[in-house]
Amino acid sequence: MKVYNTLTKNKEELIPLDNKTIRMYSCGPTVYSYAHIGNMKAFLFMDFLKRSLNYLGYKVKSVMNITDVGHLVSDSDEGEDKMLKTAKNSNMTPWDIASIYTDAFLNDIGKLNIHRPNVLCKASEHINEMLDMVNRLYDDGYAYETSDGIYFDISKFPDYGKLSNLDLEGQIAGARVAINTEKKHPADFAIWKKAPKEHIMQWESRWGMGYPGWHIECSAMSRKYLGDQFDLHTGGVDHIPIHHENEIAQSNAYIKKQAVKCWMHCEFLQVDNGKMSKSIGTAYLVSDLEKKGFEPLAFRYMCLNAHYSKKLNFTWEGIEAAQKSLNRLSNLVAAHKDSDAEADSDLIETYKNEFRNALEDDLNIPLAMGTVWNAARSSVKSFRIYQLLMDFDKVLGLNLDIKRNEAEEEIPEEISLLAQQRLQARKNKDWKKSDELRDTIKSLGYFINDTPSGQIIKKG
Ligand code: AMP
Ligand code: ZN
């Protein structure tokens, strides 16, 4: 398999460093809130990658962290700890918050058929490993002390900025990183923070009580479970310029070698062509999809149809179309299952090769989906094609074997009429009438979703 390496900016052949197993690490969620479907795109990417590697015959060991301490409101060591902020606002301890949102996260990834990584590790349970790194980086002269913590000195690491082509010279203090007058360079970053008394999560260190910087967590846990040097590291593109740049600096400085061979990043999910945003209510959750009558796997289907390195635009019409396609695909699979006709062996071989070749070329799953559809639509229905499609489903994870209702929903005349009247009421800004009509429609067993490009009527 060849994949695009953000570090070298080249497509490279993946050959396990130990000639046996691909060792991969993925940045996990910060469990201070529910993970939205944008986050899920990043975790789906990790899952597609691991399943594809397995499909292509690689052995894989995967690790993902759960960040339950140290991730500050700003990625650049400023502001409160996200966990503590939520805890304060809800009158719970950070440990309670972590436990609630970790469970919710595991539940969501289960619904999306994302396999759990081989190791899922919590930051708060690896403080010793982090302190071991902090201590050595400090002793080796890579870090210095300020009044509020221990900072990595990027001037000691000449490769700093290589991953993101960072223009360090041109970087003005206060532009990317808020001004901290004690820092030697604006891009120097905290590997350990000194804890004020009221800080709930704190541990003993040689500099007194404190807590880890967010970036050191991933360096320490990846090293613990995958060794000094490993093959692959994944995350979202937002992590390239700070988090991953910092991970590289710490890990490489600690072992005085290159820790990670290949970095892979997935592009962002947008909503209605804009940034997902909690404040305007577009940071949708998996449960929001379910509330509107969609399967979480319809979102998985949607993500399979865009290359990981491309932005994906979420709309309610888009998820509706994805659900319909998924239903149709499952029904085609069922038709093959129930047939005893013979399939052409050469054709099956061709489909298999096409599917493999697409995965081998930087995880081109959208191209592989073309083959899936061609095989599913082939005029000869055959049990062997059913077996082939179920084999592809080991990568797709769409549960193609389950029965899905393909029938187009017939919207009765009466409901369509009421919906038209509601549309007119909304045009007239008669919100009262519009709400009344919505209630009437609801009482007749249908509900309406308003989307930027119109209303969607569904039964349920
Ligand atoms: P966080 O919990 O904020 O650390 O984010 C978890 C993962 O989701 C990271 O890999 C982020 O890069 C990724 N992520 C955050 N927002 C989006 C988005 N809108 N689309 C895709 N990935 C995202
Ligand atoms: Zn990370």
Side-chain angles (χ1 to χ4, degrees):
M1 185 183 201
K2 278 191 171 171
V3 295
Y4 180 81
N5 183 351
T6 314
L7 187 62
T8 59
K9 328 281 182 249
N10 279 323
K11 264 196 209 174
E12 290 170 4
E13 186 83 36
L14 262 182
I15 301 165
L17 285 166
D18 68 357
N19 281 318
K20 288 196 276 265
T21 306
I22 293 285
R23 286 164 290 158
M24 68 181 258
Y25 183 89
S26 304
C27 290
T30 305
V31 283
Y32 69 106
S33 168
Y34 293 109
H36 53 61
I37 56 173
N39 301 130
M40 290 302 161
K41 180 180 186 284
F43 303 128
L44 281 164
F45 158 60
M46 166 200 80
D47 190 55
F48 298 157
L49 179 60
K50 183 172 177 190
R51 285 173 180 253
S52 299
L53 284 165
N54 284 144
Y55 185 87
L56 296 172
Y58 289 91
K59 276 208 325 207
V60 182
K61 178 175 180 187
S62 60
V63 178
M64 187 167 77
N65 64 300
I66 301 275
T67 298
D68 57 358
V69 61
H71 193 170
L72 304 189
V73 170
S74 148
D75 281 357
S76 45
D77 313 318
E78 305 293 333
E80 279 183 281
D81 184 317
K82 292 186 180 189
M83 300 295 304
L84 296 193
K85 192 173 170 205
T86 312
K88 235 194 268 168
N89 293 342
S90 61
N91 251 335
M92 282 192 268
T93 69
W95 315 101
D96 293 335
I97 299 290
S99 159
I100 290 169
Y101 292 113
T102 302
D103 287 351
F105 168 73
L106 294 176
N107 194 23
D108 281 348
I109 65 168
K111 285 181 178 169
L112 288 168
N113 246 349
I114 296 173
H115 287 161
R116 285 196 193 183
N118 299 97
V119 179
L120 250 181
C121 41
K122 291 185 185 170
S124 62
E125 292 172 0
H126 296 79
I127 303 295
N128 286 341
E129 287 82 355
M130 296 174 205
L131 271 173
D132 167 61
M133 285 191 95
V134 174
N135 286 333
R136 197 202 291 181
L137 289 171
Y138 183 83
D139 291 338
D140 288 354
Y142 286 104
Y144 58 91
E145 185 177 1
T146 72
S147 58
D148 77 345
I150 307 303
Y151 283 79
F152 190 94
D153 182 348
I154 62 154
S155 71
K156 300 281 165 58
F157 186 73
D159 274 350
Y160 193 87
K162 205 171 142 195
L163 184 73
S164 53
N165 285 334
L166 211 61
D167 172 17
L168 285 175
E169 293 308 315
Q171 195 183 66
I172 317 148
R176 187 180 72 100
V177 183
I179 298 168
N180 172 340
T181 48
E182 288 183 73
K183 284 209 266 186
K184 296 184 187 168
H185 187 283
D188 288 353
F189 57 92
I191 51 179
W192 186 257
K193 291 277 270 190
K194 296 177 184 173
K197 258 209 191 71
E198 67 280 7
H199 205 272
I200 304 172
M201 295 171 124
Q202 48 175 289
W203 291 266
E204 209 171 315
S205 78
R206 63 204 245 204
W207 302 278
M209 299 303 282
Y211 60 96
W214 170 41
H215 321 294
I216 199 81
E217 301 179 359
C218 289
S219 288
M221 289 187 277
S222 58
R223 185 175 164 269
K224 169 162 180 175
Y225 294 106
L226 298 174
D228 276 349
Q229 293 177 292
F230 59 95
D231 302 276
L232 264 180
H233 195 313
T234 76
V237 287
D238 57 325
H239 285 343
I240 300 173
I242 301 183
H243 185 49
H244 289 166
E245 208 65 88
N246 295 353
E247 268 191 65
I248 290 175
Q250 301 159 153
S251 298
N252 292 13
Y254 180 85
I255 59 169
K256 301 192 172 61
K257 275 184 286 199
Q258 182 179 340
V260 180
K261 175 135 190 267
C262 178
W263 289 81
M264 289 179 78
H265 292 97
C266 81
E267 252 297 351
F268 260 36
L269 182 76
Q270 298 189 321
V271 173
D272 301 328
N273 284 314
K275 198 170 179 284
M276 293 185 69
S277 152
K278 272 193 188 159
S279 57
I280 57 165
T282 55
Y284 301 123
L285 310 179
V286 171
S287 57
D288 292 325
L289 306 183
E290 290 178 300
K291 275 181 211 151
K292 290 191 189 269
F294 299 109
E295 267 182 90
L297 292 184
F299 180 65
R300 187 175 172 107
Y301 180 90
M302 201 179 197
C303 291
L304 284 166
N305 281 282
H307 193 257
Y308 74 88
S309 64
K310 299 272 181 299
K311 286 196 179 78
L312 173 62
N313 187 36
F314 178 90
T315 61
W316 288 108
E317 298 80 60
I319 192 80
E320 170 114 1
Q323 180 73 66
K324 280 189 183 149
S325 299
L326 177 57
N327 295 353
R328 170 115 192 89
L329 192 56
S330 295
N331 281 288
L332 288 170
V333 169
H336 284 288
K337 188 179 184 179
D338 297 337
S339 166
D340 44 18
E342 264 308 306
D344 176 347
S345 295
D346 287 349
L347 194 62
I348 298 233
E349 239 4 79
T350 307
Y351 289 144
K352 257 192 199 164
N353 287 335
E354 280 178 10
F355 189 80
R356 279 186 78 93
N357 291 343
L359 298 186
E360 281 173 352
D361 184 13
D362 196 20
L363 201 68
N364 196 341
I365 301 188
L367 186 63
M369 287 305 284
T371 302
V372 171
W373 274 102
N374 285 342
R377 281 205 207 100
S378 67
S379 51
V380 178
K381 299 285 174 262
S382 135
F383 190 74
R384 281 189 62 198
I385 293 187
Y386 162 75
Q387 286 174 314
L388 177 77
L389 290 166
M390 291 317 294
D391 193 43
F392 292 164
D393 202 33
K394 288 180 190 153
V395 174
L396 311 180
L398 293 170
N399 293 352
L400 291 176
D401 213 8
I402 64 173
K403 270 223 156 338
R404 290 187 166 99
N405 185 10
E406 198 193 336
E408 281 285 329
E409 259 182 47
E410 275 292 327
I411 307 295
E413 190 65 31
E414 181 194 4
I415 304 292
S416 298
L417 216 61
L418 289 167
Q420 282 308 317
Q421 289 170 11
R422 180 174 173 274
L423 213 56
Q424 194 53 49
R426 287 170 68 79
K427 272 194 191 133
N428 300 340
K429 297 203 170 15
D430 186 347
W431 308 119
K432 188 163 167 280
K433 186 161 181 205
S434 146
D435 284 349
E436 280 168 11
L437 283 162
R438 178 200 283 272
D439 289 344
T440 313
I441 292 169
K442 200 172 162 194
S443 69
L444 295 168
Y446 288 81
F447 64 88
I448 290 190
N449 288 331
D450 291 309
T451 74
S453 47
Q455 49 184 11
I456 296 175
I457 312 167
K458 283 180 102 36
K459 197 172 183 172

